[in-house]
């Protein structure tokens, strides 16, 4: 694990050491006057630098302007979107050919300040314009080229990528046995598949950061990663509901409605999540600020589905709780703790969405990403301990909860034991009857 982290950090350091800024590159061919938005960048509290390289001396490019708009301008996004040759908005700074003695502009430090870049040519056309705009924070090599609203996210993806590999290596040798539960083989395979999907999601997003470093960002890459993450997240929530919801107590095999509700709500959240991710992340204009994909009117339906999933989970465990006898104190206490912990995780998408709604714009992306992954991997730790507890973990849990786990016998085990005893009794009775019949035959 440590070697893997060191390898990833060294690889990233070598890659970044040759790169000093984020570049916006492109060409504009126009037969008419044009105003074109080309990108934005968020500077941190250290400030930064904007440098331009434009072919001012080429055909009809000498009248073009590079306009810089800071978010200190009121309603700057609406003004930039409506900007044209016929409308005037005073920019924060302008690059032109006559002022080209200085190719750079120093941005004063202020945390979370967005700058929007627009190229405009309203005098001479047709025009042929090539541009290469360099944007960088005044920070060390890696943070120089990452927009402040995305900083810390690449490190988080690398960390959880390595953690996914660790969990995958732990899951592969799982045995379908625990003192608290008897899991079927498909449940362990399902958990391994979920961890693999998290690994794939973080790996794709890590590749996206490499593309940014190499000046070849691809917008579809993070969207692909988001879709895999949404599938993994909801699969993980379904596993939490299935494993923790009556699996330890097996209230009744006739309650198939419970599983149907869980499956329906999971499929609903995956489908709606994919749609909202496409609308709010992939298809929206780049000029729009980041918005958590569930933080919209349609997303509130997904919040309701997560709430129903949690209510269904708690309701079934209440039924299980009432099925215990008065002397099953440890079983009751354990089920209370399990229900509380799993309910918090089932509600985590709602908690993340609510908090993300109220944080500053430049914190939304990094907050939602890091907190979501943190919730998921904390649950992985819990589920790993739940499936394969070691003696040390069991002793620690006994000390914290005062529950004698080795004495716990849940309803499904008791019913199985009773069934086995009944079967043994029936077999003994049959043997006795056969012996009696044989004795009678001998007498005859």
């Amino acid at each position: 694990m440590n070697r893997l982290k060191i390898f990833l950090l060294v690889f990233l350091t070598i890659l970044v050491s040759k790169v000093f800024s984020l570049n916006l590159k492109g060409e504009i061919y126009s037969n008419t006057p044009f105003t074109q938005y080309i990108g934005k960048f968020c500077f941190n509290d250290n400030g930064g630098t904007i440098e331009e390289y434009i072919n001012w001396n080429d055909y009809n490019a000498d009248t073009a302007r590079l306009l810089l708009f800071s978010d200190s301008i009121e309603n700057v996004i609406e003004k930039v979107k409506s900007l044209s040759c016929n409308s005037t908005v005073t920019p924060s700074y302008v690059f032109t050919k006559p002022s080209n003695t200085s190719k750079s502009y120093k941005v004063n430090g202020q945390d979370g300040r967005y700058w929007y870049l627009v190229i405009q040519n309203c005098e001479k056309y047709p025009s042929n314009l090539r541009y290469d705009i360099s944007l960088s924070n005044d920070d060390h090599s890696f943070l120089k080229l990452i927009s402040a609203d995305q900083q810390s996210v690449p490190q988080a993806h690398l960390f959880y990528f390595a953690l996914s590999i660790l969990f995958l290596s732990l899951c592969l040798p799982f045995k379908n046995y625990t003192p608290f539960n008897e899991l079927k083989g498909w449940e362990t395979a399902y958990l391994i598949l979920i961890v693999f999907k998290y690994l794939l999601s973080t790996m794709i997003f890590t590749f996206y950061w490499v593309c940014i470093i190499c000046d070849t960002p691809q917008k579809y890459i993070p969207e692909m990663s988001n879709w895999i993450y949404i599938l993994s997240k909801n699969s993980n929530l379904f596993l939490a509901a299935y494993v923790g919801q009556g699996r330890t107590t097996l209230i009744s095999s006739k309650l198939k409605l419970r599983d149907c509700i869980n499956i329906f709500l999971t499929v609903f959240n995956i489908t709606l999540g994919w749609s909202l991710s496409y609308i709010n992340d992939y298809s929206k204009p780049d000029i729009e600020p980041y918005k958590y994909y569930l933080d919209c009117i349609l997303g509130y339906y997904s919040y309701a589905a997560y709430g129903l999933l949690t209510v269904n989970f708690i309701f079934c465990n209440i039924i299980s709780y009432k099925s215990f006898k008065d002397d099953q104190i440890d079983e009751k206490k354990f089920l209370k703790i399990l229900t509380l912990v799993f309910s918090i995780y089932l509600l985590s998408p709602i908690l993340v969405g609510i908090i993300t709604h109220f944080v500053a714009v430049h914190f939304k992306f990094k907050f939602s990403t890091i907190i979501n992954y943190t919730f998921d991997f904390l649950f992985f730790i819990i589920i790993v301990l739940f499936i394969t507890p070691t003696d040390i973990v069991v002793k620690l849990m006994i000390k914290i909860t005062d529950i004698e786990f080795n004495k716990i016998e849940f309803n499904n085990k008791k019913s199985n034991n009773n069934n086995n005893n009944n079967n043994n009794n029936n077999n003994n009775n049959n043997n006795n009857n056969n012996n009696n019949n044989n004795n009678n035959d001998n007498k005859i």
Side-chain angles (χ1 to χ4, degrees):
M1 176 63 180
N2 292 331
R3 291 181 179 178
L4 178 62
K5 285 184 178 180
I6 293 172
F7 170 77
L8 292 173
L9 291 174
V10 170
F11 168 75
L12 188 60
T13 302
I14 294 174
L15 187 63
V16 173
S17 63
K18 303 299 182 182
V19 184
F20 302 99
S21 64
L22 175 69
N23 287 3
L24 300 174
K25 299 179 181 179
E27 299 183 13
I28 301 175
Y29 300 95
S30 178
N31 293 320
T32 59
F34 68 86
T35 301
Q36 182 167 324
Y37 165 81
I38 60 172
K40 69 176 185 289
F41 193 80
C42 184
F43 292 92
N44 59 24
D45 52 4
N46 294 325
T49 305
I50 301 175
E51 297 183 355
E52 59 82 9
Y53 301 93
I54 299 178
N55 60 326
W56 302 105
N57 296 321
D58 285 6
Y59 182 65
N60 286 343
D62 57 330
T63 56
R65 302 189 303 164
L66 173 61
L67 310 177
L68 309 182
F69 295 90
S70 166
D71 62 3
S72 59
I73 301 173
E74 187 177 1
N75 298 323
V76 62
I77 294 178
E78 287 74 14
K79 290 180 179 179
V80 171
K81 289 168 69 174
S82 62
L83 187 64
S84 67
C85 291
N86 298 323
S87 62
T88 57
V89 179
T90 303
S92 302
Y93 189 78
V94 181
F95 283 108
T96 61
K97 182 179 179 180
S99 65
N100 201 33
T101 53
S102 174
K103 289 179 174 288
S104 65
Y105 175 76
K106 182 69 175 177
V107 177
N108 295 325
Q110 185 172 349
D111 191 27
R113 169 136 293 176
Y114 283 94
W115 284 74
Y116 303 88
L117 287 73
V118 177
I119 291 182
Q120 187 179 67
N121 192 352
C122 299
E123 297 181 28
K124 292 183 179 180
Y125 51 89
S127 58
N128 178 8
L129 194 74
R130 293 188 304 275
Y131 63 88
D132 186 351
I133 313 299
S134 171
L135 307 117
S136 61
N137 284 297
D138 288 342
D139 218 314
H140 63 76
S141 58
F142 183 59
L143 295 182
K144 282 175 70 74
L145 56 98
I146 300 294
S147 183
D149 58 345
Q150 298 177 335
Q151 289 178 0
S152 301
V153 177
Q155 295 93 319
H157 280 135
L158 279 172
F159 173 75
Y160 286 116
F161 173 69
L163 204 57
S164 298
I165 296 176
L166 173 64
F167 274 106
L168 197 61
S169 64
L170 291 175
C171 290
L172 289 175
F174 272 178
K175 296 180 180 179
N176 303 323
Y177 174 76
T178 166
F180 319 138
N181 191 14
E182 291 182 0
L183 295 178
K184 296 179 181 179
W186 76 265
E187 293 167 351
T188 303
Y190 186 76
L191 177 62
I192 294 173
L193 180 61
I194 292 174
V195 177
F196 178 77
K197 286 186 288 189
Y198 274 99
L199 174 65
L200 185 61
S201 175
T202 52
M203 182 177 66
I204 292 175
F205 231 123
T206 302
F207 178 70
Y208 171 70
W209 298 119
V210 173
C211 290
I212 287 182
I213 293 171
C214 297
D215 287 337
T216 57
Q218 303 292 333
K219 190 175 181 179
Y220 68 88
I221 295 178
E223 181 61 18
M224 185 189 307
S225 177
N226 284 339
W227 279 37
I228 297 174
Y229 175 78
I230 292 170
L231 177 63
S232 306
K233 175 78 172 183
N234 286 282
S235 301
N236 212 12
L237 292 171
F238 174 79
L239 180 67
Y242 189 81
V243 171
Q245 182 185 60
R247 288 295 299 160
T248 54
T249 52
L250 198 62
I251 49 180
S252 174
S253 60
K254 296 180 180 180
L255 292 181
K256 298 298 182 182
L257 179 61
R258 174 199 64 188
D259 295 333
C260 292
I261 292 174
N262 291 339
I263 293 172
F264 172 77
L265 293 175
T266 301
V267 173
F268 174 81
N269 283 327
I270 291 173
T271 305
L272 185 58
W274 282 346
S275 302
L276 294 178
S277 178
Y278 178 82
I279 294 171
N280 293 331
D281 291 335
Y282 185 76
S283 62
K284 75 176 181 63
D286 177 70
I287 192 173
E288 297 288 345
Y290 173 80
K291 186 177 183 180
Y292 187 54
Y293 74 100
L294 293 179
D295 191 12
C296 60
I297 295 177
L298 289 177
Y300 299 151
Y301 288 98
S302 189
Y303 289 159
Y306 287 123
L308 289 174
L309 185 66
T310 309
V311 169
N312 184 45
F313 171 77
I314 295 173
F315 174 75
C316 290
N317 278 6
I318 289 175
I319 296 176
S320 299
Y321 183 84
K322 291 181 178 179
S323 68
F324 288 126
K325 296 179 180 179
D326 294 336
D327 60 343
Q328 293 180 284
I329 299 175
D330 288 333
E331 287 86 342
K332 289 183 176 181
K333 189 181 294 186
F334 174 72
L335 189 58
K336 282 182 181 179
I337 296 173
L338 182 142
T339 303
L340 175 62
V341 173
F342 279 39
S343 295
I344 292 174
Y345 180 64
L346 291 172
L347 291 173
S348 63
I350 303 176
L351 299 176
V352 172
I354 292 174
I355 298 174
T356 303
H357 179 81
F358 294 100
V359 301
V361 174
H362 63 283
F363 279 124
K364 288 182 183 294
F365 176 63
K366 64 177 73 175
F367 178 85
S368 61
T369 301
I370 295 173
I371 297 301
N372 266 321
Y373 275 110
T374 302
F375 266 119
D376 296 336
F377 281 88
L378 283 176
F379 172 74
F380 277 143
I381 294 173
I382 293 172
I383 203 68
V384 167
L385 298 180
F386 181 72
I387 294 177
T388 58
T390 62
D391 292 337
I392 297 176
V393 173
V394 171
K395 290 178 181 178
L396 181 62
M397 293 172 71
I398 291 174
K399 186 175 181 180
I400 295 174
T401 62
D402 195 29
I403 298 175
E404 294 292 338
F405 289 99
N406 56 334
K407 296 181 180 179
I408 291 181
E409 292 184 15
F410 290 113
N411 292 350
N412 59 329
K413 290 189 175 182
K414 287 190 170 184
S415 61
N416 290 335
N417 291 334
N418 291 333
N419 290 333
N420 291 333
N421 291 332
N422 290 333
N423 291 332
N424 291 332
N425 291 333
N426 291 332
N427 290 332
N428 291 332
N429 291 333
N430 291 332
N431 291 332
N432 290 332
N433 291 332
N434 291 331
N435 291 331
N436 292 332
N437 292 332
N438 290 331
N439 292 332
N440 292 331
D441 291 339
N442 292 329
K443 287 180 180 179
I444 291 172

